[in-house]
Amino acid sequence: MKLILVLGDQLSDGLSALREADKASDVVVMAEVGAEASYVPHHPKKIAFVLAAMRKFACHLLEQGWRVAYTRLDDPENAGSIPAELLRRAEEFGAQEVIATQPGEWRLISALEDLPLPVHQFADDRFLASQAEFATWAEGRKQLRMEYFYRDMRRKTGLLMEGDDPAGGRWNFDAENRKPAPGQIAYAGPLKFTPDVVVEEVLTLVSDRFAGHFGDLRPFWFATDREQALAHLDHWIAGGLPLFGDFQDAMLRDEQFLYHAVIGLYLNAGLLGPLEVCRAAENAWRAGDAPLNAVEGFIRQIIGWREYVRGIYFHEGPDYVTRNTLGHTRDLPAVFWGAPTRMACVGAVVDQTRTEAYAHHIQRLMVTGNFALLAGIDPKQVHEWFLAVYADAYEWVEAPNVIGMSQFADGGIVASKPYVSSGNYIARMSDHCGSCHYKVKDKTGAGACPFNLLYWYFLDRHRDRFRANPRMGQIYANWDRMNEGKKALILAEASNWLARMEAGEAV
Ligand code: FAD
Ligand code: DLZ
Ligand code: SF4
């Protein structure tokens, strides 16, 4: 007989490992283990979400007639890690081999390879593009740009296609999708679920075991099974999707979700599939319930970005997370763990991250990510922070977004230029600056927005690398036109500000 491993982010019917199994003789192994919750200090909401969803999925498998050996976190026999649990169960059942769906992280892939037991890892075909398909697409290309990959995925799935042509005559409607924050939001936000008995039991366990991890456990409202996740999807398609495109990049202090789908955690854990989610959005467009710019924008995030970053993660190999092209070495400052700051934007995003285990894309990219890059933080530490604090974070999707897109630590594989901006971008796209200690219009002086100072500091420091980048020529031309005295003042103030931050001052 065989053991069939099902991990906490593999909660899908039709998982490749389950397809390889024999219901009559094999045993499904699921294990809540301290090692997975603590190799980075995951947000308590994320741990609770994964454990509750695992428990419900195990019940679902039992109902389907599977034999399931389920280990709870507080089980006295719990061996503490996935490999150790597999060995314990192999002995218990006299199993000779393990069948797994390939984990979404090199760390676990190699841990399974190292087991003193034959382990067959089958491809995770819950994605649209296989690793081989991505490698074929990548071969011989000088640049791995998402846009071309995305078009192939549109053709492959037929999503928003009219014959061989893209619906509406264009592949990409982003030009219509960058509106600043609206005054009022016409969507009530994600569907929230009251914890049931299973969830309550998990919440008690998590609050006992992981009280020291950054993040608020309660109120807890995530969906924890497929039925709830589908209800959440319907709710968003009806209320959020129509304006998703228009305000995708906007940020409001008191509106944490705006029109975003808040669906990454459900997709990444396997409660929803990428194609069904995209078909639901496409149907809304075909029924006239959502405009094309919103639907195309959403579908691009899923069959474009989500598939592309997974391709990059596996294509680039296990050393990807250690890359540090820009040589940044500053330690992650305490503000990322909730220490007081005078920067209203960073404070708000970290605070929301603490309460919700969620921030939307632009908050991650242009506030916390932008700040970490401008401040020269060690990308590995930035990566570990992002992996820990978001409910949707798993290394295959988080690392290319952080190491690649946000920190440019991969030297430009994912991003063609670094995502850096001064305070102007945040002022235009959000309402943070109005309530900030700093003045976004001030370029120097005691009240100058740190993003303004650090922006030039970053560009000046990395001049040799970026000066020749055609997309950055104009920026360097602006810097070069500034008089030497002003340039020196900006650089000195930036360096002084960073020194105060490093000394622990609440800057
Ligand atoms: P929406 O804005 O409603 O988008 C819908 C879906 O599109 C998302 O749920 C997601 O599945 C997909 N998507 C959108 N953008 C991306 C992207 N760049 N890469 C992959 N999928 C994308 N996404 C994660 O799923 N896990 C992460 O750990 C993660 N870390 C990130 C870190 C940084 C620094 C940045 C810049 C982005 C990160 N993203 C991550 C991508 C994106 O920010 C999140 O997918 C999104 O914010 C999740 O919220 P949502 O479900 O409301 O997404
Ligand atoms: C994220 C997570 C957590 C917090 N806990 C568990 C767990 O107890 N058992 C488990 O099987 N999976 C867990 N996971 C998900 C894994 O970390 C995930 O499968 C790997 O990181 C690979 O993506
Ligand atoms: Fe952020 Fe600068 Fe605006 Fe303050 S002034 S909220 S630091 S961008």
Side-chain angles (χ1 to χ4, degrees), residues 41-109:
H42 289 300
H43 194 297
K45 270 198 170 78
K46 175 183 188 178
I47 302 174
F49 164 66
V50 172
L51 301 194
M54 282 176 70
R55 288 183 183 194
K56 291 186 178 185
F57 189 69
C59 289
H60 169 75
L61 290 178
L62 284 168
E63 282 163 17
Q64 306 284 307
W66 291 96
R67 288 170 74 198
V68 181
Y70 192 94
T71 309
R72 290 178 173 229
L73 197 64
D74 52 359
D75 188 333
E77 315 255 275
N78 192 319
S81 72
I82 296 294
E85 271 295 292
L86 283 170
L87 290 179
R88 182 172 79 86
R89 293 299 192 182
E91 199 174 313
E92 179 183 342
F93 292 103
Q96 258 81 59
E97 60 176 313
V98 176
I99 301 290
T101 291
Q102 190 190 51
E105 199 179 318
W106 291 110
R107 173 186 60 90
L108 266 188
I109 294 173

Side-chain angles (χ1 to χ4, degrees), residues 5-10 30-34 36-39 42 46-47 50-51 54 73 82 103-105 107-108 393-396:
L5 176 65
V6 174
L7 292 165
D9 56 353
Q10 298 180 338
M30 296 181 72
E32 302 173 2
V33 289
E36 289 307 308
S38 307
Y39 72 98
H42 289 300
K46 175 183 188 178
I47 302 174
V50 172
L51 301 194
M54 282 176 70
L73 197 64
I82 296 294
E105 199 179 318
R107 173 186 60 90
L108 266 188
Y394 299 90
E395 198 174 275
W396 65 266

Side-chain angles (χ1 to χ4, degrees), residues 129-149:
S130 68
Q131 289 167 31
E133 210 175 335
F134 188 87
T136 306
W137 174 80
E139 205 179 299
R141 281 175 197 260
K142 271 214 203 98
Q143 295 188 317
L144 304 181
R145 292 289 160 253
M146 193 286 296
E147 188 62 30
Y148 299 106
F149 172 80

Side-chain angles (χ1 to χ4, degrees), residues 323-335:
R323 296 196 194 166
N324 189 356
T325 298
L326 300 180
H328 286 173
T329 54
R330 186 167 276 111
D331 283 337
L332 192 77
V335 57

Side-chain angles (χ1 to χ4, degrees), residues 150-195:
Y150 163 59
R151 291 178 191 180
D152 284 355
M153 290 299 110
R154 287 272 294 277
R155 292 188 190 97
K156 178 176 176 176
T157 58
L159 282 162
L160 295 181
M161 294 300 290
E162 279 159 3
D164 293 337
D165 300 320
R170 273 191 283 153
W171 293 102
N172 184 317
F173 287 79
D174 240 6
E176 291 157 41
N177 284 354
R178 299 210 170 101
K179 299 190 178 64
Q184 278 205 315
I185 300 299
Y187 169 55
L191 201 53
K192 297 187 172 178
F193 298 87
T194 306

